[in-house]
Amino acid sequence: MNEAARKLAAIAPAEQHYREAPNNIEAEQALLGAILVNNDAYYRVSDFLKPIHLYEPLHRKIFEVAGDIIRMGKTANPVTIKSFVPADEKVGDMTVAQYLARLAVEAVSIINAEDYGRAIYDLALRRALITIGEDMVNIAFDAPLDMPPQTQIEDTERRLFELAENGRYDGGFQAFNDAVALAIDMAAVAKERDGGLSGISTGIHSLDSKMGGLQRSDLIVLAGRPGMGKTSLATNIAYNIAASFEGEVQADGSTKAKNGGVVGFYSLEMSSEQLATRIISEQTEVSSSKIRRGDINDADFEKLVACSMMMQKVPLYIDQTGGISIAQLSARARRLKRQRGLDVLVVDYVQLMTGSGKSNENRVQEITQITTGLKALGKELNVPIIALSQLSRAVESREDKRPQLSDLRESGSIEQDADVVLFVFREEYYVKNAEPRDINDPKYAEWEAQFERVKGTADVIIAKQRHGPTGTVRLAFQSEFTRFADLADSSFIQYEEH
């Protein structure tokens, strides 16, 4: 016998012992016994433990039937349950009825019911992890054409995230009284939060007063023609939220935003360096063009340094990958939430994204897939998503340049999926371009008066809002610093040494 054969013979007996999936039958028996003796034990575990989490099929059936009976206001015990489980099934040398009686007799108390439930739940999560791992290995070996490695990574990340989010893979309906409790909790949080908002403050008070802040799970579409400042507004809001972040440690050790929040910014158009330059310019009131050219004095440079030091602590994360797909974006957002937390997501902008479907889909179908995916992602992560969008050129051909919902480019699904649609409109941009060439033209004085009226202002048009009124909010806009602010808001932090 050669060396390889001897080694194979040596390990052969060990191969006969197969590993069993993680389970604890005794804990399941103890929990079911406690429920059969005192139905109050069921309510100690029913908020997180479902029948599918139990390993033994018969135990799943007993737990499910017991839950149904208890929710009907009746008593679940061996006598009432035995009619709903297979009577001819054997458990060792006992019938199911005898097994139910044994579970009740051997139950000690309901004191440890929740501990038993948690142990069973944790084992169920471990089994789910094993399933995900096995699927990942099997698919990687099979190498199907319709699932390239990148798609498999994204699918695995999605499943892991769902598993990490307290077993969200169950889904199902939510009782109305639970929804009412959540609404009351939201009102309580709004009462405690700075500004008394139900959502996350944008840092622009006049906009917050119309919207109540950014509401969790909402898809907020921010649209405008090029040059209107939609990226500037999104950047301002993102930085305001991140800069005002104030965390509160929860009982489980995680951190929850009390004010502000952690922001993820997908910059598909600009590099992270360009975006940072904009933010620094806005915060220090040093022109971004001067920063890029290095045309700054010592005082300005000191402000830039002081601002950059403060910004290092701001929880704003930028992803500058161009042409990212909705599946890739979703996978990275889940990863960011899992690793660092996530309260607001910004996507600049929708038309630069790609769908995750087949390449022969037309652009309208692709945009529909993107907006539907963003809306689903917002609900999954429970965060507001600000998605920037271009408007069609039809705006330029009209005498009235104020945008309308019908101007949203390439797909009606943007309007349909959005909870809020905001348009950025700067009349100053159009009036400036209409300046008469001849200063002696009689219309020049009329133009000059009109320009002075709109200079330094911008309108944010709330064209759609599921939770509140539509209307227009007029803001101040300093194009030199790409900064939006409330009108007549002179307060601003200067980064100077004192």
Side-chain angles (χ1 to χ4, degrees), residues 201-204 229-243 265 275 278-279 281-283 475-478 481-485:
S201 173
T202 62
I204 301 173
K230 57 183 181 296
T231 299
S232 300
L233 180 57
T235 306
N236 289 180
I237 291 171
Y239 184 80
N240 290 344
I241 292 169
F265 199 115
L275 206 60
R278 278 197 175 206
I279 294 171
S281 172
E282 179 225 334
Q283 293 298 304
L475 301 175
F477 179 66
Q478 296 168 284
F481 314 126
T482 63
R483 178 182 177 226
F484 284 85

Side-chain angles (χ1 to χ4, degrees), residues 373-487:
L374 288 173
K375 178 61 184 169
L377 182 65
K379 290 184 71 176
E380 179 187 336
L381 302 181
N382 195 32
V383 299
I385 295 181
I386 302 174
L388 278 63
S389 175
Q390 290 279 20
L391 292 178
S392 68
R393 290 192 180 92
V395 175
E396 308 298 334
S397 61
R398 294 198 305 261
E399 186 174 342
D400 181 7
K401 302 291 194 293
R402 295 177 76 84
Q404 305 165 2
L405 287 171
S406 57
D407 295 324
L408 285 167
R409 188 173 162 187
E410 291 181 321
S411 177
S413 68
I414 298 177
E415 176 190 347
Q416 178 184 317
D417 291 328
D419 297 285
V420 179
V421 177
L422 305 176
F423 292 125
V424 185
F425 175 68
R426 290 198 301 118
E427 194 173 355
E428 175 190 5
Y429 176 87
Y430 293 106
V431 173
K432 188 176 183 180
N433 290 339
E435 180 181 2
R437 294 184 179 181
D438 185 0
I439 195 170
N440 298 314
D441 189 325
K443 292 184 178 179
Y444 194 88
E446 182 183 338
W447 171 87
E448 198 169 29
Q450 186 182 10
F451 183 71
E452 284 300 318
R453 180 177 60 81
V454 298
K455 184 180 179 182
T457 65
D459 289 340
V460 176
I461 303 164
I462 305 173
K464 177 185 177 182
Q465 185 175 197
R466 291 194 204 276
H467 319 294
T470 57
T472 301
V473 177
R474 176 149 286 197
L475 301 175
F477 179 66
Q478 296 168 284
S479 57
E480 189 179 3
F481 314 126
T482 63
R483 178 182 177 226
F484 284 85
D486 292 295
L487 280 172

Side-chain angles (χ1 to χ4, degrees), residues 93-354:
D93 57 353
M94 292 183 289
T95 64
V96 172
Q98 290 171 330
Y99 184 64
L100 286 168
R102 176 71 65 85
L103 289 176
V105 168
E106 294 184 355
V108 180
S109 71
I110 70 166
I111 295 173
N112 298 322
E114 189 170 353
D115 292 334
Y116 294 142
R118 288 288 178 192
I120 295 165
Y121 181 78
D122 289 346
L123 289 165
L125 290 186
R126 288 170 59 187
R127 291 196 298 273
L129 280 170
I130 291 168
T131 301
I132 292 170
E134 287 175 343
D135 289 347
M136 183 173 65
V137 170
N138 291 335
I139 293 171
F141 269 115
D142 292 341
L145 291 174
D146 60 345
M147 186 169 276
Q150 187 60 39
T151 304
Q152 188 189 351
I153 291 169
E154 291 161 4
D155 182 64
T156 303
E157 281 194 328
R158 176 187 60 78
R159 293 174 67 183
L160 285 170
F161 180 82
E162 289 172 352
L163 202 58
E165 289 291 288
N166 297 321
R168 290 194 59 199
Y169 50 88
D170 276 333
F173 290 101
Q174 183 183 41
F176 183 64
N177 59 336
D178 292 338
V180 170
L182 287 173
I184 297 300
D185 288 344
M186 184 180 72
V189 170
K191 185 174 180 294
E192 296 295 323
R193 184 182 283 129
D194 291 349
L197 301 172
S198 59
I200 300 168
S201 173
T202 62
I204 301 173
H205 302 303
S206 51
L207 194 58
D208 286 339
S209 65
K210 278 276 190 182
M211 297 173 59
L214 307 180
Q215 308 298 323
R216 293 197 175 274
S217 81
D218 272 6
L219 176 59
I220 301 144
V221 171
L222 177 59
R225 287 293 297 157
M228 290 295 105
K230 57 183 181 296
T231 299
S232 300
L233 180 57
T235 306
N236 289 180
I237 291 171
Y239 184 80
N240 290 344
I241 292 169
S244 60
F245 174 70
E246 184 182 341
E248 194 173 56
V249 179
Q250 303 298 296
D252 61 359
S254 63
T255 302
K256 184 178 179 182
K258 184 179 179 183
N259 284 307
V262 179
V263 181
F265 199 115
Y266 288 95
S267 181
L268 282 69
E269 187 175 31
M270 293 192 298
S271 69
S272 56
E273 181 188 356
Q274 291 172 318
L275 206 60
T277 302
R278 278 197 175 206
I279 294 171
I280 292 172
S281 172
E282 179 225 334
Q283 293 298 304
T284 58
E285 291 192 333
V286 177
S287 168
S288 57
S289 61
K290 285 186 176 181
I291 295 173
R292 284 193 295 271
R293 294 196 311 268
D295 183 18
I296 51 178
N297 56 34
D298 290 343
D300 286 341
F301 186 73
E302 286 178 9
K303 284 198 287 185
L304 294 181
V305 172
C307 177
S308 65
M309 289 175 66
M310 192 208 74
M311 288 173 64
Q312 288 175 4
K313 301 176 183 177
V314 172
L316 174 60
Y317 302 98
I318 300 169
D319 187 322
Q320 60 179 356
T321 309
I324 195 171
S325 71
I326 182 62
Q328 290 172 320
L329 183 146
S330 300
R332 294 180 186 185
R334 292 186 194 104
R335 194 181 309 148
L336 178 61
K337 179 157 187 177
R338 191 169 62 246
Q339 294 175 347
R340 311 204 175 193
L342 182 63
D343 297 292
V344 178
L345 202 60
V346 182
V347 181
D348 181 18
Y349 55 92
V350 167
Q351 281 78 16
L352 290 178
M353 291 180 63
T354 59

